[in-house]
Amino acid sequence: MHKPPRREAVALSYAPEDGAPRVVAKGRGVLAEEIIARARDAGVFVHESPELVGLLMQVDLDARIPPTLYVAVAELLAWIYRLEQGLPAALQAEGRPGMMETQKDQMG
């Protein structure tokens, strides 16, 4: 029997003194749902990107993202910024950049 997809979530935070975004929360299943809910409640932008989440899940909690992911994360943040600056209020993403989620097939 095929199991339903299992959600994964990674939350990023960026402060200029860090030099690169940090993974501040990550989890699967129920924990991922809680991370996503808290992000939305706080007005943090939630974006689905299975490939990027898969890579970010490999980064240790509270660690900076590796240089190999700088371009992908920078492009995502720039896209979010353009959305927030250029679209009518009704179409803008709520909150600010920082949260990504995806669904993956449950292992085991």
Side-chain angles (χ1 to χ4, degrees), residues 11-93:
L12 301 177
S13 176
Y14 177 74
E17 62 270 13
D18 284 343
R22 289 183 180 271
V23 172
V24 294
K26 65 180 185 173
R28 293 179 176 89
V30 174
L31 181 56
E33 295 294 337
E34 183 66 21
I35 292 167
I36 293 164
R38 288 185 180 210
R40 288 187 171 141
D41 289 347
V44 174
F45 182 84
V46 176
H47 175 74
E48 286 197 39
S49 177
E51 298 81 13
L52 188 53
V53 169
L55 294 169
L56 289 169
M57 286 294 289
Q58 299 174 38
V59 178
D60 290 336
L61 195 57
D62 203 38
R64 290 182 193 100
I65 65 167
T68 55
L69 295 180
Y70 286 1
V71 171
V73 171
E75 287 176 356
L76 175 63
L77 297 177
W79 176 76
I80 293 166
Y81 178 80
R82 286 191 303 273
L83 278 179
E84 291 176 341
Q85 299 302 311
L87 293 177
L91 298 176
Q92 286 185 7

